[in-house]
Amino acid sequence: MIQEMIMLDGNSLTIDEVAKVAREGAQVGISSESMKKLEQGRQMVYDMANSDIPVYGFTRGVGENKDRQVVARYYQEYNRNLILSHCLGVEPEAKEDDVRAIMLARLNTLLVGCTGVQPAVATMYMNMINNKIHPVIPQRGSVGEGDITVLSHIGLAMIGEGEVNYNGERMKASEAFKKAGMEPIVLGPKDGLAIVSSNALSAGEGALVLKDIEDLVDLADVVYALTLEGFKGNVTPLDEAAYRVRPYQGQSISASSVRKLLEGSYLWLPGVTDSLQDPLSLRGSCQIHGAVRDSLAYVKNHLLIQLNSSDDNPCLIMDENRIISCANYEVPTWTLGFEMLGLALSHLSRNACFRTIKLATPKFTGLSRFLTPADGRVLAYATIQKTFTSLDTEIRHLSNPATADFFSVAGDIEDHANNSPYVVQKTARIVDNLIYILGIEAMHGVQAIDLRKATRLGVGTKAAYDVIRSEIPFLDQDRNLSEDIRKIYKLIKSRKILDSVEKVIR
């Protein structure tokens, strides 16, 4: 099978393409125009160095050592030492799909042409991605002002002194290069700084988190629709007219999605619903899901700018023949966006928990307590609330802002930070917990549907119901529910539910 090729040019990389390279093994190429730009930038930096213009990270040191001169005969040694001295990350190690996303993010920003790096460095990123040579990268240790303490481990692998995962096996980078017919790179001036100083860790991992949240909020609409059918909920809050008079985009998208999912459902029949108004957790779900969608749109817009622009310091302005000191590694705009996403997801989580509790409460549904098929004999979902509320508690604490917590370091010259890697990583943990929480709600939804003997489901909810029931049978007697939770988690992660639904409501 021919693998898809993603051609990189420094200005058109998308979130979907990051996911394809990271998770589907798509190959990458570099446009000829981008390579020419790298060559011109490299020559420009040499010209400046030869004219005695001090260049940060080239003829001068970095950080507090910016006053230290680096002479030409020590370029290779200095850049190797820069890589080694910045290898400071601690475990856990990044997963291989995250590593691919991280390397892709840095490669594309190199191609903007503001770095002055030798073109061979960009080629090395490309060849390592395409040959699936994945450096071992510890995830923790960066405060987000350029992920220098962790991206350095990529540089370590590039010079053949680190460890990588290659074809599923962990080995020395030098051994992997030998097996792949590649040579370690010989570092030149400014190469070390170009490799270690960028926001690629948080940007690459962040792109994958956004891709997961896109799927998660779609799934949340599906699960909510199943809950409505199990609850025999009031569908008037889905009326399109309500969204015309308050036209927030996210909630309108979710309401439209739920209406499509419930097309043909018994809920639309006259006189079905006994309740004039359902609890807020059901009535306001599209608004809460919509807030996640609106937050997601904001973050996606700004992360795309990050992925397709330069975060280099110093920054080459080639058309003006200048190199300028700057702070383009500052990323509060989209780091704050991830914090907002975490809070929005916390609302979604808490809402899903309340919907699930309501499904198990007879006074709201008219069904049996804890959705038991045999009251007094089968406990059913009597205890599962402890599991999903525990997961929600974790989400509540993970949604606390972390970007404002930083120290002044490096001799007090580096007195600001964003903590963007941690912010992205804690958002990823929120997403993972939510998969469990929404999965447990879906288990309650289909159980309630069966107990209600609802045979006329919506076209989308029927597709979701069938996929879930293909793996998790009706709870007719008590069993190990941890196994059911594990199955629904894997179903959601595999995207089988969403794929099945999308086929019928396109």
Side-chain angles (χ1 to χ4, degrees), residues 115-159:
T115 308
V117 70
Q118 64 167 309
V121 171
T123 303
M124 175 61 89
Y125 277 100
M126 178 185 71
N127 289 338
M128 290 178 76
I129 292 170
N130 290 342
N131 286 285
K132 295 183 171 57
I133 299 175
H134 305 141
V136 174
I137 306 176
Q139 281 188 302
R140 295 189 296 167
S142 171
V143 297
E145 299 296 282
D147 300 321
I148 58 177
T149 55
V150 288
L151 296 180
S152 50
H153 292 264
I154 297 175
L156 195 65
M158 285 182 168
I159 62 176

mmCIF file of all heavy atoms in Angstrom, residues 115-159:
data_model
loop_
_atom_site.group_PDB
_atom_site.id
_atom_site.type_symbol
_atom_site.label_atom_id
_atom_site.label_comp_id
_atom_site.label_asym_id
_atom_site.label_seq_id
_atom_site.Cartn_x
_atom_site.Cartn_y
_atom_site.Cartn_z
ATOM 1 N N THR A 115 15.332 30.685 10.810
ATOM 2 C CA THR A 115 16.206 30.053 11.800
ATOM 3 C C THR A 115 17.685 30.195 11.478
ATOM 4 O O THR A 115 18.508 30.369 12.366
ATOM 5 C CB THR A 115 15.858 28.547 11.914
ATOM 6 O OG1 THR A 115 14.475 28.416 12.140
ATOM 7 C CG2 THR A 115 16.616 27.907 13.051
ATOM 8 N N GLY A 116 18.060 30.067 10.213
ATOM 9 C CA GLY A 116 19.470 30.075 9.846
ATOM 10 C C GLY A 116 20.138 28.735 10.039
ATOM 11 O O GLY A 116 21.362 28.622 10.012
ATOM 12 N N VAL A 117 19.342 27.689 10.198
ATOM 13 C CA VAL A 117 19.860 26.344 10.421
ATOM 14 C C VAL A 117 20.372 25.755 9.107
ATOM 15 O O VAL A 117 19.912 26.128 8.011
ATOM 16 C CB VAL A 117 18.747 25.458 11.018
ATOM 17 C CG1 VAL A 117 17.666 25.168 9.990
ATOM 18 C CG2 VAL A 117 19.291 24.177 11.604
ATOM 19 N N GLN A 118 21.327 24.826 9.185
ATOM 20 C CA GLN A 118 21.772 24.178 7.956
ATOM 21 C C GLN A 118 20.645 23.292 7.415
ATOM 22 O O GLN A 118 19.927 22.628 8.181
ATOM 23 C CB GLN A 118 23.044 23.363 8.191
ATOM 24 C CG GLN A 118 22.915 22.185 9.152
ATOM 25 C CD GLN A 118 24.114 21.249 9.091
ATOM 26 O OE1 GLN A 118 24.526 20.812 8.011
ATOM 27 N NE2 GLN A 118 24.675 20.944 10.267
ATOM 28 N N PRO A 119 20.440 23.261 6.109
ATOM 29 C CA PRO A 119 19.343 22.475 5.529
ATOM 30 C C PRO A 119 19.387 21.003 5.911
ATOM 31 O O PRO A 119 18.348 20.348 5.966
ATOM 32 C CB PRO A 119 19.541 22.662 4.020
ATOM 33 C CG PRO A 119 20.226 23.990 3.895
ATOM 34 C CD PRO A 119 21.128 24.070 5.091
ATOM 35 N N ALA A 120 20.573 20.477 6.207
ATOM 36 C CA ALA A 120 20.697 19.064 6.568
ATOM 37 C C ALA A 120 19.933 18.737 7.844
ATOM 38 O O ALA A 120 19.505 17.588 8.038
ATOM 39 C CB ALA A 120 22.164 18.685 6.732
ATOM 40 N N VAL A 121 19.734 19.719 8.727
ATOM 41 C CA VAL A 121 18.963 19.471 9.949
ATOM 42 C C VAL A 121 17.504 19.193 9.584
ATOM 43 O O VAL A 121 16.887 18.260 10.115
ATOM 44 C CB VAL A 121 19.069 20.667 10.922
ATOM 45 C CG1 VAL A 121 18.099 20.497 12.093
ATOM 46 C CG2 VAL A 121 20.497 20.795 11.434
ATOM 47 N N ALA A 122 16.942 19.994 8.683
ATOM 48 C CA ALA A 122 15.569 19.765 8.241
ATOM 49 C C ALA A 122 15.433 18.409 7.562
ATOM 50 O O ALA A 122 14.461 17.669 7.786
ATOM 51 C CB ALA A 122 15.127 20.881 7.297
ATOM 52 N N THR A 123 16.424 18.061 6.748
ATOM 53 C CA THR A 123 16.402 16.759 6.075
ATOM 54 C C THR A 123 16.463 15.623 7.091
ATOM 55 O O THR A 123 15.816 14.577 6.916
ATOM 56 C CB THR A 123 17.575 16.655 5.089
ATOM 57 O OG1 THR A 123 17.510 17.734 4.158
ATOM 58 C CG2 THR A 123 17.534 15.343 4.329
ATOM 59 N N MET A 124 17.207 15.819 8.165
ATOM 60 C CA MET A 124 17.296 14.794 9.209
ATOM 61 C C MET A 124 15.946 14.579 9.882
ATOM 62 O O MET A 124 15.524 13.431 10.100
ATOM 63 C CB MET A 124 18.362 15.175 10.238
ATOM 64 C CG MET A 124 18.443 14.220 11.422
ATOM 65 S SD MET A 124 18.878 12.521 10.940
ATOM 66 C CE MET A 124 20.673 12.605 11.010
ATOM 67 N N TYR A 125 15.231 15.683 10.211
ATOM 68 C CA TYR A 125 13.885 15.528 10.764
ATOM 69 C C TYR A 125 13.017 14.707 9.812
ATOM 70 O O TYR A 125 12.307 13.785 10.234
ATOM 71 C CB TYR A 125 13.231 16.901 10.972
ATOM 72 C CG TYR A 125 13.583 17.620 12.236
ATOM 73 C CD1 TYR A 125 14.539 18.631 12.244
ATOM 74 C CD2 TYR A 125 12.958 17.311 13.436
ATOM 75 C CE1 TYR A 125 14.859 19.319 13.403
ATOM 76 C CE2 TYR A 125 13.265 17.988 14.608
ATOM 77 C CZ TYR A 125 14.219 18.990 14.586
ATOM 78 O OH TYR A 125 14.528 19.658 15.739
ATOM 79 N N MET A 126 13.033 15.058 8.544
ATOM 80 C CA MET A 126 12.211 14.370 7.554
ATOM 81 C C MET A 126 12.571 12.881 7.470
ATOM 82 O O MET A 126 11.679 12.013 7.486
ATOM 83 C CB MET A 126 12.397 15.021 6.181
ATOM 84 C CG MET A 126 11.613 14.348 5.048
ATOM 85 S SD MET A 126 11.968 15.070 3.423
ATOM 86 C CE MET A 126 13.655 14.476 3.154
ATOM 87 N N ASN A 127 13.849 12.577 7.389
ATOM 88 C CA ASN A 127 14.268 11.181 7.241
ATOM 89 C C ASN A 127 13.961 10.360 8.488
ATOM 90 O O ASN A 127 13.609 9.173 8.385
ATOM 91 C CB ASN A 127 15.756 11.111 6.919
ATOM 92 C CG ASN A 127 16.069 11.601 5.510
ATOM 93 O OD1 ASN A 127 15.186 11.606 4.646
ATOM 94 N ND2 ASN A 127 17.295 12.025 5.273
ATOM 95 N N MET A 128 14.091 10.952 9.667
ATOM 96 C CA MET A 128 13.763 10.225 10.887
ATOM 97 C C MET A 128 12.270 9.930 10.959
ATOM 98 O O MET A 128 11.858 8.831 11.342
ATOM 99 C CB MET A 128 14.229 11.010 12.110
ATOM 100 C CG MET A 128 15.740 11.047 12.263
ATOM 101 S SD MET A 128 16.315 12.017 13.684
ATOM 102 C CE MET A 128 15.944 10.892 15.037
ATOM 103 N N ILE A 129 11.450 10.897 10.567
ATOM 104 C CA ILE A 129 9.997 10.662 10.540
ATOM 105 C C ILE A 129 9.660 9.565 9.542
ATOM 106 O O ILE A 129 8.919 8.619 9.853
ATOM 107 C CB ILE A 129 9.247 11.964 10.195
ATOM 108 C CG1 ILE A 129 9.370 12.978 11.331
ATOM 109 C CG2 ILE A 129 7.778 11.668 9.904
ATOM 110 C CD1 ILE A 129 8.855 14.365 10.977
ATOM 111 N N ASN A 130 10.207 9.664 8.349
ATOM 112 C CA ASN A 130 9.856 8.719 7.290
ATOM 113 C C ASN A 130 10.387 7.319 7.539
ATOM 114 O O ASN A 130 9.784 6.332 7.099
ATOM 115 C CB ASN A 130 10.347 9.237 5.936
ATOM 116 C CG ASN A 130 9.558 10.446 5.458
ATOM 117 O OD1 ASN A 130 8.459 10.711 5.948
ATOM 118 N ND2 ASN A 130 10.098 11.171 4.496
ATOM 119 N N ASN A 131 11.511 7.217 8.238
ATOM 120 C CA ASN A 131 12.079 5.906 8.558
ATOM 121 C C ASN A 131 11.634 5.390 9.920
ATOM 122 O O ASN A 131 12.117 4.358 10.380
ATOM 123 C CB ASN A 131 13.613 5.973 8.504
ATOM 124 C CG ASN A 131 14.142 6.029 7.090
ATOM 125 O OD1 ASN A 131 14.147 5.022 6.384
ATOM 126 N ND2 ASN A 131 14.569 7.212 6.657
ATOM 127 N N LYS A 132 10.696 6.166 10.551
ATOM 128 C CA LYS A 132 10.142 5.774 11.849
ATOM 129 C C LYS A 132 11.233 5.563 12.906
ATOM 130 O O LYS A 132 11.206 4.610 13.691
ATOM 131 C CB LYS A 132 9.255 4.540 11.711
ATOM 132 C CG LYS A 132 8.001 4.793 10.877
ATOM 133 C CD LYS A 132 7.108 3.572 10.816
ATOM 134 C CE LYS A 132 5.768 3.907 10.168
ATOM 135 N NZ LYS A 132 5.882 4.485 8.807
ATOM 136 N N ILE A 133 12.204 6.464 12.893
ATOM 137 C CA ILE A 133 13.224 6.515 13.946
ATOM 138 C C ILE A 133 12.764 7.568 14.936
ATOM 139 O O ILE A 133 12.849 8.773 14.677
ATOM 140 C CB ILE A 133 14.612 6.853 13.373
ATOM 141 C CG1 ILE A 133 15.053 5.772 12.379
ATOM 142 C CG2 ILE A 133 15.640 6.991 14.499
ATOM 143 C CD1 ILE A 133 16.361 6.080 11.668
ATOM 144 N N HIS A 134 12.242 7.116 16.072
ATOM 145 C CA HIS A 134 11.579 8.002 17.014
ATOM 146 C C HIS A 134 12.430 8.195 18.265
ATOM 147 O O HIS A 134 12.567 7.264 19.061
ATOM 148 C CB HIS A 134 10.211 7.422 17.400
ATOM 149 C CG HIS A 134 9.336 7.147 16.215
ATOM 150 N ND1 HIS A 134 8.529 6.027 16.128
ATOM 151 C CD2 HIS A 134 9.147 7.844 15.067
ATOM 152 C CE1 HIS A 134 7.876 6.050 14.973
ATOM 153 N NE2 HIS A 134 8.242 7.136 14.319
ATOM 154 N N PRO A 135 13.021 9.366 18.441
ATOM 155 C CA PRO A 135 13.834 9.603 19.638
ATOM 156 C C PRO A 135 13.038 9.383 20.925
ATOM 157 O O PRO A 135 11.831 9.629 20.975
ATOM 158 C CB PRO A 135 14.237 11.074 19.496
ATOM 159 C CG PRO A 135 14.114 11.376 18.042
ATOM 160 C CD PRO A 135 12.984 10.534 17.545
ATOM 161 N N VAL A 136 13.704 8.913 21.943
ATOM 162 C CA VAL A 136 13.101 8.787 23.267
ATOM 163 C C VAL A 136 13.094 10.177 23.890
ATOM 164 O O VAL A 136 14.152 10.755 24.149
ATOM 165 C CB VAL A 136 13.886 7.793 24.141
ATOM 166 C CG1 VAL A 136 13.336 7.791 25.564
ATOM 167 C CG2 VAL A 136 13.816 6.390 23.534
ATOM 168 N N ILE A 137 11.890 10.717 24.110
ATOM 169 C CA ILE A 137 11.760 12.082 24.611
ATOM 170 C C ILE A 137 11.025 12.070 25.953
ATOM 171 O O ILE A 137 9.845 11.722 26.005
ATOM 172 C CB ILE A 137 10.966 12.975 23.627
ATOM 173 C CG1 ILE A 137 11.581 12.932 22.228
ATOM 174 C CG2 ILE A 137 10.902 14.408 24.145
ATOM 175 C CD1 ILE A 137 10.776 13.728 21.208
ATOM 176 N N PRO A 138 11.694 12.445 27.038
ATOM 177 C CA PRO A 138 10.969 12.632 28.303
ATOM 178 C C PRO A 138 10.004 13.810 28.161
ATOM 179 O O PRO A 138 10.353 14.834 27.572
ATOM 180 C CB PRO A 138 12.078 12.935 29.312
ATOM 181 C CG PRO A 138 13.355 12.536 28.640
ATOM 182 C CD PRO A 138 13.131 12.713 27.182
ATOM 183 N N GLN A 139 8.808 13.674 28.699
ATOM 184 C CA GLN A 139 7.781 14.700 28.496
ATOM 185 C C GLN A 139 7.879 15.869 29.463
ATOM 186 O O GLN A 139 7.361 16.949 29.179
ATOM 187 C CB GLN A 139 6.384 14.087 28.638
ATOM 188 C CG GLN A 139 5.904 13.318 27.427
ATOM 189 C CD GLN A 139 4.455 12.922 27.580
ATOM 190 O OE1 GLN A 139 4.079 12.238 28.522
ATOM 191 N NE2 GLN A 139 3.625 13.358 26.656
ATOM 192 N N ARG A 140 8.500 15.674 30.601
ATOM 193 C CA ARG A 140 8.470 16.714 31.638
ATOM 194 C C ARG A 140 9.813 17.412 31.773
ATOM 195 O O ARG A 140 10.864 16.814 31.550
ATOM 196 C CB ARG A 140 8.042 16.126 32.984
ATOM 197 C CG ARG A 140 6.614 15.604 32.984
ATOM 198 C CD ARG A 140 6.165 15.228 34.386
ATOM 199 N NE ARG A 140 6.951 14.126 34.924
ATOM 200 C CZ ARG A 140 6.935 13.764 36.205
ATOM 201 N NH1 ARG A 140 6.189 14.428 37.071
ATOM 202 N NH2 ARG A 140 7.658 12.744 36.620
ATOM 203 N N GLY A 141 9.756 18.676 32.172
ATOM 204 C CA GLY A 141 10.971 19.446 32.388
ATOM 205 C C GLY A 141 10.971 20.786 31.684
ATOM 206 O O GLY A 141 11.810 21.637 31.974
ATOM 207 N N SER A 142 10.027 20.994 30.764
ATOM 208 C CA SER A 142 9.959 22.276 30.059
ATOM 209 C C SER A 142 8.959 23.199 30.738
ATOM 210 O O SER A 142 7.860 22.786 31.107
ATOM 211 C CB SER A 142 9.530 22.059 28.607
ATOM 212 O OG SER A 142 9.254 23.302 27.986
ATOM 213 N N VAL A 143 9.344 24.489 30.852
ATOM 214 C CA VAL A 143 8.416 25.492 31.382
ATOM 215 C C VAL A 143 7.696 26.225 30.253
ATOM 216 O O VAL A 143 6.905 27.122 30.497
ATOM 217 C CB VAL A 143 9.139 26.505 32.296
ATOM 218 C CG1 VAL A 143 9.708 25.807 33.508
ATOM 219 C CG2 VAL A 143 10.224 27.275 31.539
ATOM 220 N N GLY A 144 8.005 25.845 29.011
ATOM 221 C CA GLY A 144 7.256 26.383 27.885
ATOM 222 C C GLY A 144 7.862 27.585 27.204
ATOM 223 O O GLY A 144 7.314 28.084 26.225
ATOM 224 N N GLU A 145 8.995 28.074 27.680
ATOM 225 C CA GLU A 145 9.675 29.176 26.988
ATOM 226 C C GLU A 145 10.640 28.575 25.973
ATOM 227 O O GLU A 145 11.855 28.706 26.082
ATOM 228 C CB GLU A 145 10.423 30.053 27.997
ATOM 229 C CG GLU A 145 9.552 30.706 29.037
ATOM 230 C CD GLU A 145 8.564 31.686 28.421
ATOM 231 O OE1 GLU A 145 8.968 32.803 28.076
ATOM 232 O OE2 GLU A 145 7.380 31.318 28.308
ATOM 233 N N GLY A 146 10.103 27.921 24.967
ATOM 234 C CA GLY A 146 10.901 27.028 24.160
ATOM 235 C C GLY A 146 11.105 25.761 24.975
ATOM 236 O O GLY A 146 11.499 25.817 26.147
ATOM 237 N N ASP A 147 10.802 24.600 24.386
ATOM 238 C CA ASP A 147 10.831 23.344 25.142
ATOM 239 C C ASP A 147 12.244 22.763 25.154
ATOM 240 O O ASP A 147 12.476 21.604 24.778
ATOM 241 C CB ASP A 147 9.819 22.367 24.545
ATOM 242 C CG ASP A 147 8.402 22.916 24.590
ATOM 243 O OD1 ASP A 147 8.059 23.554 25.604
ATOM 244 O OD2 ASP A 147 7.647 22.717 23.626
ATOM 245 N N ILE A 148 13.197 23.578 25.611
ATOM 246 C CA ILE A 148 14.612 23.269 25.413
ATOM 247 C C ILE A 148 15.077 22.029 26.164
ATOM 248 O O ILE A 148 15.941 21.299 25.675
ATOM 249 C CB ILE A 148 15.492 24.478 25.786
ATOM 250 C CG1 ILE A 148 15.258 24.912 27.231
ATOM 251 C CG2 ILE A 148 15.239 25.637 24.834
ATOM 252 C CD1 ILE A 148 16.157 26.063 27.680
ATOM 253 N N THR A 149 14.515 21.767 27.334
ATOM 254 C CA THR A 149 15.017 20.662 28.154
ATOM 255 C C THR A 149 14.559 19.297 27.662
ATOM 256 O O THR A 149 15.096 18.278 28.092
ATOM 257 C CB THR A 149 14.558 20.828 29.616
ATOM 258 O OG1 THR A 149 13.136 20.962 29.638
ATOM 259 C CG2 THR A 149 15.197 22.038 30.251
ATOM 260 N N VAL A 150 13.580 19.284 26.764
ATOM 261 C CA VAL A 150 13.070 18.005 26.256
ATOM 262 C C VAL A 150 13.366 17.820 24.772
ATOM 263 O O VAL A 150 13.714 16.715 24.335
ATOM 264 C CB VAL A 150 11.552 17.864 26.535
ATOM 265 C CG1 VAL A 150 11.305 17.618 28.001
ATOM 266 C CG2 VAL A 150 10.784 19.089 26.088
ATOM 267 N N LEU A 151 13.271 18.903 23.990
ATOM 268 C CA LEU A 151 13.581 18.782 22.562
ATOM 269 C C LEU A 151 15.048 18.464 22.342
ATOM 270 O O LEU A 151 15.430 17.931 21.288
ATOM 271 C CB LEU A 151 13.214 20.078 21.839
ATOM 272 C CG LEU A 151 11.734 20.456 21.838
ATOM 273 C CD1 LEU A 151 11.518 21.753 21.077
ATOM 274 C CD2 LEU A 151 10.873 19.347 21.228
ATOM 275 N N SER A 152 15.880 18.776 23.310
ATOM 276 C CA SER A 152 17.305 18.450 23.230
ATOM 277 C C SER A 152 17.529 16.956 23.039
ATOM 278 O O SER A 152 18.528 16.544 22.437
ATOM 279 C CB SER A 152 18.002 18.924 24.500
ATOM 280 O OG SER A 152 17.285 18.469 25.641
ATOM 281 N N HIS A 153 16.595 16.137 23.523
ATOM 282 C CA HIS A 153 16.753 14.681 23.373
ATOM 283 C C HIS A 153 16.598 14.254 21.913
ATOM 284 O O HIS A 153 17.114 13.199 21.531
ATOM 285 C CB HIS A 153 15.757 13.961 24.281
ATOM 286 C CG HIS A 153 16.046 14.132 25.738
ATOM 287 N ND1 HIS A 153 16.754 13.220 26.474
ATOM 288 C CD2 HIS A 153 15.759 15.149 26.600
ATOM 289 C CE1 HIS A 153 16.881 13.640 27.724
ATOM 290 N NE2 HIS A 153 16.267 14.819 27.826
ATOM 291 N N ILE A 154 15.886 15.064 21.110
ATOM 292 C CA ILE A 154 15.858 14.814 19.669
ATOM 293 C C ILE A 154 17.240 15.074 19.086
ATOM 294 O O ILE A 154 17.756 14.289 18.281
ATOM 295 C CB ILE A 154 14.804 15.699 18.974
ATOM 296 C CG1 ILE A 154 13.410 15.358 19.474
ATOM 297 C CG2 ILE A 154 14.885 15.541 17.454
ATOM 298 C CD1 ILE A 154 12.312 16.265 18.921
ATOM 299 N N GLY A 155 17.853 16.189 19.496
ATOM 300 C CA GLY A 155 19.197 16.498 19.030
ATOM 301 C C GLY A 155 20.200 15.441 19.425
ATOM 302 O O GLY A 155 21.100 15.090 18.651
ATOM 303 N N LEU A 156 20.048 14.907 20.633
ATOM 304 C CA LEU A 156 20.940 13.846 21.096
ATOM 305 C C LEU A 156 20.871 12.641 20.166
ATOM 306 O O LEU A 156 21.895 12.050 19.812
ATOM 307 C CB LEU A 156 20.549 13.449 22.523
ATOM 308 C CG LEU A 156 21.552 12.617 23.315
ATOM 309 C CD1 LEU A 156 22.835 13.397 23.575
ATOM 310 C CD2 LEU A 156 20.931 12.154 24.625
ATOM 311 N N ALA A 157 19.645 12.289 19.771
ATOM 312 C CA ALA A 157 19.491 11.169 18.836
ATOM 313 C C ALA A 157 20.080 11.507 17.470
ATOM 314 O O ALA A 157 20.726 10.673 16.831
ATOM 315 C CB ALA A 157 18.014 10.807 18.695
ATOM 316 N N MET A 158 19.893 12.737 17.024
ATOM 317 C CA MET A 158 20.379 13.140 15.704
ATOM 318 C C MET A 158 21.894 13.014 15.572
ATOM 319 O O MET A 158 22.403 12.702 14.493
ATOM 320 C CB MET A 158 19.956 14.575 15.405
ATOM 321 C CG MET A 158 18.496 14.738 15.053
ATOM 322 S SD MET A 158 18.129 16.464 14.652
ATOM 323 C CE MET A 158 16.478 16.298 13.941
ATOM 324 N N ILE A 159 22.616 13.253 16.668
ATOM 325 C CA ILE A 159 24.078 13.131 16.607
ATOM 326 C C ILE A 159 24.532 11.723 16.974
ATOM 327 O O ILE A 159 25.732 11.462 17.139
ATOM 328 C CB ILE A 159 24.772 14.185 17.490
ATOM 329 C CG1 ILE A 159 24.401 14.002 18.968
ATOM 330 C CG2 ILE A 159 24.430 15.592 17.015
ATOM 331 C CD1 ILE A 159 25.134 14.965 19.919
#
